Every structure is written in C-alpha cells, then in structure tokens.
C-alpha cells in the first residue's frame, strides 16, 4: 500500500505563449506596432517555454561572483555570471529588446520594444537591467555627436558580444549608468566624484559610486563634478589602447531580489571619461536616459502583475478545495478578477506611454507633454501597486506559493525594485508636481487625454472633477503629493480602460478604484462585477 499518492497538485504552467494576452496585443495594434506581432508571438513562446523558465530559475539561484584579482594577484575587476545569464541576454539582444528602436527608426518601434520587454521580462527580470540601460543610453549619448556616431550603431546592434575588450572593436555593446553615491542617493547634485580635464580631451574621474548595476557593461554614463559643475561622462571599462580603465569593483550588493544581476560599489581611481553634453549640464543630459528607464520600470511592473495573475489563475483552475475548484469559489473569483483588473490597467497605461514615446520622438509636442506627466504619475502608481499585487497572487497558491519551487517568492522579491529604481515613490510623486509647475501645458495634455472618455462612466467623470479640484489647491501640496498623484494615475487608467479595454474590466475598475467604496485588500470588488468575463480575458493560452 502506498503512503505517498500525489493528488490535487497543480501541473506547472509551461509551454504557453506569454504574448497571447489580449490587453498587450490590443495595445500593440492600437499604438501603431501591429507589424511586430509575429516576432512578439515568437518571443512569447520562448518566454513561456520550459527552457527559458529553467534558465531564469538557475540564474536567480546562482548569484554573480566578483573576482577582484586573478590567480597571480593582478587586478581584474570582473564578475562571473551563470552561463544561462548569457543565454537570456543573447535572446534579448537578438530580438532588439535592448535598442531596436534606434536601429529600426520606424513608427511604432518603441511600442514594439516595450511589448517585447513585457513578454521577455516574464523570464528573469535581473538581466533586463543592462538591457534597459542600453536602450536608454542612446538619446543621452547623442549630446556628444562624435561618441554617438561611433558607439550608437554598436549599442543598437543585434549581436550580444560579451567580454571586456576595446568597445569600438566589438560587434555589439551593453551600456550602464553610474550616478548614485552614498551621501546623496537620488540627490545627485551633491555628488562628490570629481572629473578633471586631462589635457587630451578626456577627463580623469576620482570618487566612489554606491550603486552601479551590471558592472560588466562595456561603458557607463556617469555623473561627476567637473570645473563647470555636475557633468555627464562616457566611461568605458576598456580604454582605446586596450588597457583596463581604473574602475575598481569594491563589492557586490547582497540584494532582496534582482539576484541574477550584479549590483556593485565602484571606485574611480583616476578613470578616464569623455564629456557628454556641456559641463554643468549633467542632470539634463542624463535625465533623457532616466526617463526611458522609468518607462521600463512601469512596463516591468505590469509584466510582474501579469505573471502573478497567470500563476494564480492557473493554480485556481487546477486546484480543488471544499468540494469545488478554487476558481469556482465566489471569493476566490473576486480576488482573481481584482488582480486581473489591476494587471490590465497597468498594461494599458504602459502601452499608451510607449506610444507617446514613439510620437514624442517623432516630434509630436502634445504627446511629449502628455508623456512627461503621464510617465511620472504612472511610474509612481503602477510600481507602487506591484508588491501588494505579488503578495496577493502568491497567497492564492497558499503554502505552495511560499515555497521557492513555485517561483512566487522570486516574483515577490522582485516586485519592490521598480518602485525604488530611478527614483523611489516620493521622488516620482514630487517629480509629477515639478512637471506640472514647470510645464503647465503637460497638465492640459494630461486632462486632454483623460477627458477623451468623458461621458463614458459617471464615476470616472466625478473622479476627474474631484481631481481638478485637488489640483486647484496648492496649499500643502507636497505633503499631499502621493494622494494627488494616485488620483491622477487612477483617472488615467480608468479613461484608457473605458476607451480601449474590455467593458467588464472598465466597469470593475471604476466600481472599485473610483467609486469610493474600494476595500483595502485585493478581492474587494463590489457585487455585480462580471468576474466571468474578466477571468476569461485573463486566462493563459497555449
């Protein structure tokens, strides 16, 4: 007689097309990148396949290792990654997730790339850090035409060419950024790293950086104090003469999540860099990079929400309790539908902002203004929602979700990072206020977007009117910044869902998020919501 018969256990969610998600595909078409669907579906099958999921599991479990010296005592400052890190990077680069828009230069290119990030990000989030930074580095680098002419074709190349060699001699490059210092964090204006002219066109950098991710990147955009003030510099790991630049890796950070990716403290011990932009214009130069990585923060959070919903709904479909499938239990349906609504709202706003990026890059000033404010608002809210979403999705699997083998702890550990990266919650909220104060036309563009859904739902109309009242009172507004920005994010998502989403999702969103009767936890949707339609839309497909 066996004592270990396995019953009522859920099969792994494998070999499904991650891209087969209606909100994503609809956004792809709507925002002008329908032409990319075949490649996106190909990438989606790779991302949902057993091989890529195993790569992701292994790179997260086998952390990068720092080697400061070789066996003979020579300083080498290299990081050793698990071999599957390079497999993941290779797929991302070959599919243009790193920088295809700068190479393709066609309408919808940034939308297509955002959708690919959403899809491939459902493998391992860690390796997407250098992928995102490479994408974002290009417009900032253009502030130095000579450097851009040399390196932009290599940054946008579809070839992953790993290893520390002279950048100009490689087939493809990966870029990073190095801004944060221990005394300042987000307040980069108090950075103490110095840059002194070397007399040959380069500068000599000396100082410490507290948080530099992906230290094996070929080059970094970094901030340092030049004679003319805080400035942006192009700093390669290997100099044109083939010698290692004096960038010392002091240690790797032991992080909560994002474990496959190395994040380091570095010392510039007389490292050489070249000015990008003008002296004293470091922040305006590198902010072009930051704004694009902020978009990726929102997209990555939306992708994480999609993982959580897919895993939770798959589990509930196959698991029975108290005589019925979990997914047929009314309260579980409420939880799953609420999670699905949140994930769709995050996806639709992410794709809309990717479309605004495309049109802003093409010279559409109105779209640039909408993107300026809409991105700051959405980066705050979408990223802020991700940890609570991941926790609830994990709980849907019960004790099984708390076990590493389920993959849900990895999702949970990863979920807070996008909210911290490129400016934590307060920074994003205050940046939204700054955008409104410095560029009032961004407010007009924002309301112009939101009011395209005017009359679609009285709850949305009332929330928009309430928001206008909130914005008319600037007393104590910094103290209220989070509440104001949250309201802005919700009315934007509600407007987009009513115009572009499924009617059941739009109704559930407004009935909960905008009607004043929203519970604190997920699973508090009011009665009358069409959970059947919401869950059918959210179900995974082969």
């Amino acid at each position: 007689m066996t004592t270990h018969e396995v019953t009522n256990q859920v099969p792994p969610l494998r070999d499904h097309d991650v891209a087969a998600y209606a909100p994503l595909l609809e956004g792809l078409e709507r925002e002008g990148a329908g032409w990319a669907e075949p490649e996106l579906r190909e990438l989606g099958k790779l991302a949902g396949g057993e091989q890529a999921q195993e790569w992701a599991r292994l790179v997260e479990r086998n952390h990068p290792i720092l080697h400061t010296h070789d066996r003979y005592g020579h300083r080498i400052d290299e990081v050793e990654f698990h071999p599957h890190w390079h497999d993941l990077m290779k797929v991302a680069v070959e599919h243009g997730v790193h920088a295809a828009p700068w190479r393709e230069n066609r309408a919808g290119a940034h939308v297509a790339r955002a959708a690919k990030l959403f899809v491939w990000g459902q493998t391992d989030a860690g390796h997407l850090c250098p992928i995102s930074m490479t994408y974002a580095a290009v417009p900032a680098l253009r502030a130095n035409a000579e450097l851009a002419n040399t390196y932009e074709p290599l940054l946008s190349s579809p070839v992953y060419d790993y290893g520390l060699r002279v950048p100009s001699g490689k087939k493809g490059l990966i870029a990073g950024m190095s801004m944060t210092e221990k005394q300042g964090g987000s307040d980069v204006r108090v950075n103490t790293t110095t840059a002194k002219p070397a007399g040959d066109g380069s500068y000599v950098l000396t100082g410490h950086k507290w948080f530099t991710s992906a230290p094996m990147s070929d080059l970094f955009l970094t901030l340092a104090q030049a004679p003319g003030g805080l400035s942006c510099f192009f700093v390669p790991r290997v100099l044109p003469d083939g010698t290692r630049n004096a960038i010392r890796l002091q240690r790797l950070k032991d992080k909560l999540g994002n474990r496959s990716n190395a994040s380091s403290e570095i010392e510039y011990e007389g490292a050489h860099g070249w000015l990008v932009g003008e002296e004293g214009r470091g922040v305006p130069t590198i902010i072009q990079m930051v704004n694009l990585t902020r978009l990726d923060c929102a997209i990555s959070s939306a992708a994480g929400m999609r993982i959580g919903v897919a895993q939770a709904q798959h589990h509930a479909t196959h698991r029975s309790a108290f005589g019925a499938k979990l997914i047929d239990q009314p309260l579980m349906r409420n939880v799953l539908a609420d999670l699905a609504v949140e994930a769709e709202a995050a996806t639709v706003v992410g794709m809309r902002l990717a479309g605004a990026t495309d049109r802003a890059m093409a010279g559409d000033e109105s779209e640039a203004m909408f993107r300026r404010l809409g991105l700051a608002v959405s980066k705050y809210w979408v990223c802020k929602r991700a940890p609570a979403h991941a926790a609830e999705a994990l709980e849907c699997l019960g004790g099984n979700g708390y076990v590493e083998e389920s993959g849900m702890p990895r999702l949970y550990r990863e979920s807070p990072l996008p909210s911290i990266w490129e400016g934590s919650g307060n920074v994003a909220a205050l940046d939204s206020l700054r955008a409104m104060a410095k560029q009032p036309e961004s407010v007009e563009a924002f309301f112009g977007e939101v009011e395209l859904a005017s009359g679609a739902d009285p709850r949305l109309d009332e929330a928009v009117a309430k928001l206008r009242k909130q914005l008319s009172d600037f007393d104590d507004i910094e103290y209220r910044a989070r509440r104001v920005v949250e309201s802005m994010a919700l009315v934007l998502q509600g407007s987009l869902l009513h115009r572009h989403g499924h009617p059941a999702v739009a109704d559930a969103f407004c009935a909960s998020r905008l009607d004043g009767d929203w519970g604190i936890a997920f699973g508090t949707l009011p009665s009358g919501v069409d959970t059947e339609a919401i869950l059918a839309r959210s179900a995974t497909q082969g």
Side-chain angles (χ1 to χ4, degrees):
M1 177 179 177
T2 181
T3 60
H4 192 70
E5 182 181 357
V6 178
T7 62
N8 198 28
Q9 286 293 322
V10 176
L13 178 56
R14 291 177 178 163
D15 298 322
H16 69 292
D17 181 359
V18 171
Y21 179 47
L24 178 69
L25 295 177
E26 291 167 5
L28 188 77
E29 180 68 35
R30 182 173 62 249
E31 299 296 338
W35 50 267
E37 183 173 345
E39 185 182 6
L40 185 67
R41 299 298 291 267
E42 173 193 335
L43 190 62
K45 291 173 184 175
L46 285 174
E50 185 174 356
Q51 182 184 60
Q53 291 298 320
E54 181 65 0
W55 290 350
R57 185 187 73 83
L58 288 171
V59 300
E60 203 263 350
R61 293 298 292 272
N62 295 277
H63 305 173
I65 300 170
L66 172 62
H67 300 288
T68 57
H69 298 78
D70 68 12
R71 59 182 292 194
Y72 305 105
H74 301 119
R75 187 93 197 202
I76 57 173
D77 297 290
E78 293 197 8
V79 177
E80 178 185 356
F81 292 93
H82 189 279
H84 289 322
W85 164 275
H86 302 295
D87 292 324
L88 291 161
M89 289 288 291
K90 186 172 185 289
V91 173
V93 170
E94 288 180 346
H95 284 80
V97 186
H98 69 311
W102 315 119
R103 183 178 73 251
E104 293 172 345
N105 194 28
R106 66 182 294 185
H110 291 275
V111 174
R113 185 255 167 200
K116 291 176 186 176
L117 183 79
F118 181 96
V119 165
W120 193 241
Q122 293 180 54
T123 57
D124 162 68
H127 81 285
L128 292 183
C129 173
I131 292 295
S132 177
M133 291 191 294
T134 303
Y135 165 64
V138 171
L141 187 62
R142 288 175 177 173
N144 184 318
E146 183 177 352
L147 289 175
N149 288 338
T150 301
Y151 296 107
E152 184 174 329
L154 295 171
L155 289 167
S156 60
S157 166
V159 178
Y160 177 58
D161 189 2
Y162 182 75
L164 292 180
R165 301 188 300 280
V166 176
S168 59
K170 297 184 69 175
K171 296 178 181 178
L173 300 176
I174 297 297
M177 68 167 72
S178 189
M179 297 191 295
T180 305
E181 297 185 6
K182 53 184 175 288
Q183 78 286 344
S186 295
D187 188 6
V188 295
R189 295 187 185 277
V190 299
N191 280 9
T192 61
T193 296
T194 61
K196 297 181 179 180
D200 60 358
S202 70
Y203 288 68
V204 177
L205 278 66
T206 304
H208 181 86
K209 294 294 181 180
W210 187 239
F211 221 106
T212 297
S213 289
M216 288 300 288
S217 298
D218 296 291
L219 59 95
F220 297 92
L221 294 187
T222 192
L223 294 178
Q225 299 285 359
L230 189 65
S231 306
C232 181
F233 294 90
F234 169 96
V235 183
R237 285 293 313 272
V238 179
L239 295 170
D241 65 3
T243 59
R244 298 286 182 93
N245 210 351
I247 303 173
R248 310 305 186 203
L249 307 187
Q250 300 299 88
R251 64 170 174 164
L252 300 186
K253 299 288 193 179
D254 187 7
K255 298 173 293 183
L256 170 67
N258 208 247
R259 293 179 173 182
S260 68
N261 176 38
S263 299
S264 64
E265 293 175 32
I266 67 171
E267 293 276 0
Y268 291 130
E269 294 184 351
H272 282 265
W274 284 262
L275 187 64
V276 179
E278 302 174 14
E279 281 195 8
R281 297 282 297 168
V283 171
T285 299
I286 209 165
I287 202 68
Q288 299 176 77
M289 186 176 186
V290 172
N291 281 336
L292 287 175
T293 47
R294 282 178 176 171
L295 172 62
D296 282 4
C297 288
I299 296 291
S300 295
S301 289
M305 291 184 194
R306 176 56 188 159
I307 297 169
V309 170
Q311 291 288 353
Q313 194 167 343
H314 175 77
H315 180 87
T317 300
H318 292 87
R319 180 82 164 178
S320 296
F322 308 107
K325 294 290 186 184
L326 283 176
I327 200 163
D328 294 327
Q329 307 278 8
L331 188 53
M332 179 59 81
R333 294 179 70 80
N334 192 323
V335 172
L336 292 171
D338 208 357
L339 291 171
V341 166
E342 192 74 30
E344 179 159 346
T347 303
V348 73
V349 77
M351 294 302 286
R352 175 65 183 91
L353 289 167
T357 299
D358 250 311
R359 290 181 279 275
M361 293 290 181
D364 188 324
E365 189 60 28
S366 176
E367 284 289 274
M369 286 296 100
F370 165 70
R371 177 182 176 275
R372 172 66 184 94
L373 184 52
L375 179 55
V377 164
S378 299
K379 196 276 184 187
Y380 168 79
W381 180 242
V382 173
C383 297
K384 188 62 67 182
R385 292 292 287 161
H389 192 279
E392 194 68 58
L394 181 154
E395 190 175 328
C396 289
L397 278 65
N400 290 319
Y402 203 67
V403 174
E404 287 289 345
E405 288 174 322
S406 72
M408 299 303 281
R410 173 157 55 104
L411 175 66
Y412 184 65
R413 287 193 298 270
E414 196 70 37
S415 61
L417 179 57
S419 186
I420 298 168
W421 195 26
E422 305 304 16
S424 56
N426 284 355
V427 172
L430 293 172
D431 186 50
S432 301
L433 299 186
R434 188 179 304 110
M436 290 188 278
K438 289 189 173 182
Q439 296 174 302
E441 59 269 38
S442 68
V443 182
E444 297 173 15
F446 179 87
F447 277 106
E449 177 74 22
V450 166
E451 290 173 349
L452 290 173
S454 181
D457 189 309
R459 296 165 297 194
L460 176 59
D461 291 342
E462 184 177 346
V464 173
K466 183 179 178 181
L467 174 62
R468 283 193 176 278
K469 186 176 180 180
Q470 282 180 290
L471 292 178
S472 68
D473 178 13
F474 278 83
D475 288 342
D476 213 19
I477 195 160
E478 283 199 14
Y479 182 81
R480 297 184 291 113
R482 285 188 174 219
R483 188 67 185 94
V484 170
V485 172
E486 175 183 316
S487 298
M488 295 179 75
L490 290 172
V491 299
L492 176 58
Q493 288 180 324
S495 172
L496 290 168
L497 287 172
H498 264 293
R499 288 153 50 206
H500 308 305
H502 191 283
V505 175
D507 174 65
F509 184 91
C510 291
S512 54
R513 278 74 170 163
L514 299 181
D515 202 25
D517 191 29
W518 187 18
I520 303 244
F522 282 101
T524 54
L525 294 175
S527 299
V529 167
D530 189 353
T531 59
E532 184 73 29
I534 295 169
L535 294 177
R537 181 170 173 81
S538 177
T540 55
Q541 301 177 31

